[in-house]
Amino acid sequence: MTASRKMFRLSAALLAGSALSFLTAAPAMAQGKAGFEDPNNWPEYHRTSNAWRFSPLNQITRENVKKLKVAWVHQPGNITHGLQSTPIVIDGVMYTISANNNVWAIDAATGKTLWQFAPKLDKIVEQVFYGAASRGVTVGRGKVFVGTLDGRFIALDQKTGKQLWSTQLTDPKTQYGALFSAPPQLAGNILFGGTTGGDQPISGKIYAVNADTGKPAWTCDVIKNDPKSWPGDSGKVGGGSAWMPGTYDAKTDTIYIGTSNAAPDYYNYDRKGDNLYTASLLAIEGKTGKLKWHRQEVPNDSWDYDSAYEALVVQKDGKDVIVHLNKGGFVFVMDKKDGALENVWQFSENVNWVKGIDPKTGALIDPIYPEVDKVKTFCPNLLGARSWNHGAYNPGTGLWYSHAMEVCNEVVAGKDDPDNLKAVSALSLGIESIKLVAPPNSKPHGRLDARDPLTGKLKWSIKYDMPPLSSVLTTAGGLVFTGDLEGKIFGYDAETGKELWSFNSGSGLRGGPVSYSVKGKQYIVFPTGLGSHAPGFLAGAFPQIKDLPGGAAIIAFTLE
């Protein structure tokens, strides 16, 4: 089945020729600017700390993208949960991860394996809910850093893959399998990251170690010690993890990282407070772990609306602002230095859990809460207005490209049965029942939107029968790349959304495409292979997902 793609062009005034007049990499004057640094590499999770997922390379353009051909394919062997990583590429070597924390160093020009590391994982990983998968590795200080399925940070020698140190940070047996599904990030000589657990009865934390030695440096509690925020003992089981990678501003020594929903997800009767610092964006001092400021986006989150996604940094009136999407379907625009609110705009087409959010104060307007013994429909669904697959920003077009899904869920709240919380894999959802359903007056579907990140103004949108779960890549060649659940990879015109190129990879995309250059040749690389729990949840609204094949392959493309 081929997903239908209906494009809505909202602007008839298109620029003549290319709006992006870059040279092979980028003009010399641009290379020192934020987002243009180190153009030939993909040195960190979002490529740069402003989370643009933008490559300054422009050898591959709108005019020649049709000439892309497969350069090489790398298959790790184990297809469990597919490939969810965003590969790191530095000086012609790609570093990535596959099922069960298997780490790979690959020749980025040929696909040849240079070294592989397979950790010895505790058998507890066979019991955890969020098993097998990881979203990547971090490379720096001569090391490759991994967050493991059994609650450790590990450092490997960048050249050989030999393990240098390993530090146990969580106790999976008592913390419901709290594990690192995302790569820990560097903040100078500090390595930091949060765990899974937003849907589990734990008290979430962000952990940090010395990147050179593995010695613990600090711990930041996501659950605030405040009885007004967390009545009684509710904070002890309040969830509040930080399960996605943060970003780091070296100039101010500030970590920006989003946090998960509060637990139990839909049953809020025992936690009548704002439940800080869940569903928030945190600014943390890198050296000490001290909280500088926070912006809570969903107070008393009772809908599973994490605020864990990327902190996109763009300019507004000459200053840096953070553009931050949460699962509840709204984008918060805030001052980077203190979190002061600049704007809030609605991202989802279907939102009914609030009438709106005050763009000046961030206050929820007439929220509607789940209830016991009563079916209520909430839009967006528990997977969010978008899953964790990241958007991308192109400074040439000034547009932010992000997937979206229009799916709702019917929920009946209910108190967790203690007998159901004994297993390591147990979830504290606070429900009697949950069912994914279509939005009012529409079939469930997915989109790729091109928007002004500050206002939400829509430039163009592409509709898919099933919501894509791939992250997005955009380049100085005027292109946008992504993939869908069926394994089709697309190259679109960044200005118009016109499809310029496609390739059938055979299995759906869940990871992050990247671009880099080796010996003067630009590559576009896609991790392929459908995985994570999201497709399973979405099958309730899209039964055809159950018939989609698994896989695991990194596919590299370059020009003929």
PDB file of all heavy atoms in Angstrom, residues 183 210 290 353 383 453 516:
ATOM      1  N   PRO A 183      20.844   8.830  23.790  1.00  0.00           N
ATOM      2  CA  PRO A 183      22.266   8.996  24.100  1.00  0.00           C
ATOM      3  C   PRO A 183      22.499  10.120  25.097  1.00  0.00           C
ATOM      4  O   PRO A 183      21.953  11.221  24.942  1.00  0.00           O
ATOM      5  CB  PRO A 183      22.879   9.351  22.740  1.00  0.00           C
ATOM      6  CG  PRO A 183      21.762   9.950  21.955  1.00  0.00           C
ATOM      7  CD  PRO A 183      20.525   9.215  22.395  1.00  0.00           C
ATOM      8  N   ASN A 210      31.450  12.654  35.306  1.00  0.00           N
ATOM      9  CA  ASN A 210      32.638  13.194  34.648  1.00  0.00           C
ATOM     10  C   ASN A 210      32.884  12.369  33.390  1.00  0.00           C
ATOM     11  O   ASN A 210      33.032  11.144  33.461  1.00  0.00           O
ATOM     12  CB  ASN A 210      33.842  13.124  35.589  1.00  0.00           C
ATOM     13  CG  ASN A 210      35.104  13.693  34.965  1.00  0.00           C
ATOM     14  OD1 ASN A 210      35.644  13.124  34.025  1.00  0.00           O
ATOM     15  ND2 ASN A 210      35.572  14.812  35.497  1.00  0.00           N
ATOM     16  N   LYS A 290      22.563  22.657  38.867  1.00  0.00           N
ATOM     17  CA  LYS A 290      21.633  23.597  39.489  1.00  0.00           C
ATOM     18  C   LYS A 290      20.631  24.108  38.457  1.00  0.00           C
ATOM     19  O   LYS A 290      20.993  24.467  37.344  1.00  0.00           O
ATOM     20  CB  LYS A 290      22.405  24.770  40.092  1.00  0.00           C
ATOM     21  CG  LYS A 290      21.534  25.813  40.772  1.00  0.00           C
ATOM     22  CD  LYS A 290      22.378  26.951  41.326  1.00  0.00           C
ATOM     23  CE  LYS A 290      21.503  28.022  41.963  1.00  0.00           C
ATOM     24  NZ  LYS A 290      22.322  29.149  42.493  1.00  0.00           N
ATOM     25  N   TRP A 353      -8.480  19.177  24.707  1.00  0.00           N
ATOM     26  CA  TRP A 353      -8.246  19.044  26.154  1.00  0.00           C
ATOM     27  C   TRP A 353      -8.201  20.402  26.842  1.00  0.00           C
ATOM     28  O   TRP A 353      -8.360  20.494  28.064  1.00  0.00           O
ATOM     29  CB  TRP A 353      -6.965  18.256  26.424  1.00  0.00           C
ATOM     30  CG  TRP A 353      -5.707  18.895  25.894  1.00  0.00           C
ATOM     31  CD1 TRP A 353      -5.267  18.891  24.611  1.00  0.00           C
ATOM     32  CD2 TRP A 353      -4.737  19.635  26.637  1.00  0.00           C
ATOM     33  NE1 TRP A 353      -4.076  19.576  24.492  1.00  0.00           N
ATOM     34  CE2 TRP A 353      -3.723  20.043  25.727  1.00  0.00           C
ATOM     35  CE3 TRP A 353      -4.618  19.984  27.977  1.00  0.00           C
ATOM     36  CZ2 TRP A 353      -2.621  20.782  26.126  1.00  0.00           C
ATOM     37  CZ3 TRP A 353      -3.511  20.723  28.369  1.00  0.00           C
ATOM     38  CH2 TRP A 353      -2.532  21.113  27.454  1.00  0.00           C
ATOM     39  N   LEU A 383       0.370   9.444  22.224  1.00  0.00           N
ATOM     40  CA  LEU A 383       1.655   9.562  21.536  1.00  0.00           C
ATOM     41  C   LEU A 383       1.969  11.004  21.165  1.00  0.00           C
ATOM     42  O   LEU A 383       3.094  11.316  20.785  1.00  0.00           O
ATOM     43  CB  LEU A 383       1.663   8.690  20.283  1.00  0.00           C
ATOM     44  CG  LEU A 383       1.602   7.189  20.512  1.00  0.00           C
ATOM     45  CD1 LEU A 383       1.557   6.458  19.190  1.00  0.00           C
ATOM     46  CD2 LEU A 383       2.774   6.706  21.347  1.00  0.00           C
ATOM     47  N   PRO A 453       8.487  29.118  12.535  1.00  0.00           N
ATOM     48  CA  PRO A 453       8.574  28.577  13.904  1.00  0.00           C
ATOM     49  C   PRO A 453       8.117  29.559  14.979  1.00  0.00           C
ATOM     50  O   PRO A 453       7.762  29.124  16.083  1.00  0.00           O
ATOM     51  CB  PRO A 453      10.057  28.253  14.055  1.00  0.00           C
ATOM     52  CG  PRO A 453      10.752  29.140  13.077  1.00  0.00           C
ATOM     53  CD  PRO A 453       9.815  29.283  11.922  1.00  0.00           C
ATOM     54  N   TYR A 516      26.561  14.489   5.366  1.00  0.00           N
ATOM     55  CA  TYR A 516      27.963  14.787   5.653  1.00  0.00           C
ATOM     56  C   TYR A 516      28.748  14.697   4.353  1.00  0.00           C
ATOM     57  O   TYR A 516      28.200  14.316   3.297  1.00  0.00           O
ATOM     58  CB  TYR A 516      28.521  13.798   6.684  1.00  0.00           C
ATOM     59  CG  TYR A 516      28.402  12.357   6.259  1.00  0.00           C
ATOM     60  CD1 TYR A 516      29.411  11.732   5.515  1.00  0.00           C
ATOM     61  CD2 TYR A 516      27.270  11.611   6.583  1.00  0.00           C
ATOM     62  CE1 TYR A 516      29.291  10.418   5.098  1.00  0.00           C
ATOM     63  CE2 TYR A 516      27.135  10.294   6.166  1.00  0.00           C
ATOM     64  CZ  TYR A 516      28.147   9.699   5.424  1.00  0.00           C
ATOM     65  OH  TYR A 516      28.022   8.399   5.003  1.00  0.00           O
TER      66      TYR A 516
END
